[in-house]
Amino acid sequence: MEIQVSGKDIVITHLQDFCLRDILCCGQCFVFRELAPDTFFGTAGGRALTVSQSGDTLTLHNTTPTDFEGFWRGYFDLDRDYAAVKRALCCDETLRLAVAYAPGMRVLRQPPWEALCSFILSQNNNIKRIQGIVERLCETFGEALPGGGYGFPTPQTLASLTVEDLAPLRAGFRAKYILDAAQKVASGEVNLNELYTLDIDDARRSLMRIKGVGIKVADCALLYGASRVEAFPLDVWMKRAMASLFPKGLPDCAVPYAGLAQQYIFHYIRCGVKGACEVGAEGK
DNA sequence: AGCCAGGGTCTGC
DNA sequence: GCAGACCATGGC
């Protein structure tokens, strides 16, 4: 990986184990939309970004070295050795297939509040509609950013609102959960900064004090919002995948990176093999 | 038209 | 602890 500054762009060449489309479209974040093939625009951490990939070159447009080093480098998880992770996961044949299906998959390091909010909105919902709700949330209550688009509204902003205020989002029953999360985070009752260092069970329990946050949403907030790769979110897709592909449980070699393994498996069963989940499900 | 969606809460055993 | 109704909305 080599990083150069070219005008207002940051250009990364010789990038390994990185597929922008898989990373941004696999359902781990909902704030990027594709402007043109392999070119995406989105906002995170109060910054707007247009990013494109061509082969092993990734270009971050209209950003600065400060924003790159201070945010995007971490956001795209550029300093994790995915080759080593993939070698470890390939101890198991099924995991090997999942990794081979999307070898450029990565898990983003999103700001914890943004991940928490996003996955509260994800419950009993589909990815298309989640994207729409998040977009309306940012446009309605977020701050307009210099590079275009709107940032994620802060907990403080949302904490002062009512469910009626959130009606334009069409978030349904999830609106009250967003408000409870905002209030508990703004008041300090839930401290998102602790999620990085707390024992994983304590971190999960802390998040579950918020109404509408159960085990799955908490694990998503921990994995995507605090880089806790030992967290292993089990949604309806992953439950089907585990029943059919890993009836004896996740292989031991994957446990330290369960969350990363989860991302390969999730994408594999949703997009890779049509019918992979029905095979084992027929017997029950 | 009807089923399902990156679930959680509440109630009743 | 576990099952089932219910929750709002819209994509397919």
Side-chain angles (χ1 to χ4, degrees), chain A residues 23-24 26-30 105-108 110 119 224 263:
Chain A
I23 292 166
L24 294 181
C26 70
Q28 62 174 317
C29 83
F30 309 99
M105 183 60 73
R106 292 190 179 218
V107 170
L108 298 168
Q110 303 176 55
F119 282 92
Y224 302 121
Q263 204 59 42

Side-chain angles (χ1 to χ4, degrees), chain A residues 88-99:
Chain A
L89 294 181
C90 284
C91 67
D92 176 85
E93 180 56 25
T94 306
L95 279 174
R96 191 198 313 266
L97 290 172
V99 169

Side-chain angles (χ1 to χ4, degrees), chain A residues 182-203:
Chain A
Q183 288 158 10
K184 286 194 166 73
V185 171
S187 72
E189 184 175 345
V190 173
N191 184 347
L192 299 182
N193 293 322
E194 292 178 345
L195 300 181
Y196 297 98
T197 50
L198 276 179
D199 175 83
I200 192 78
D201 294 314
D202 290 336

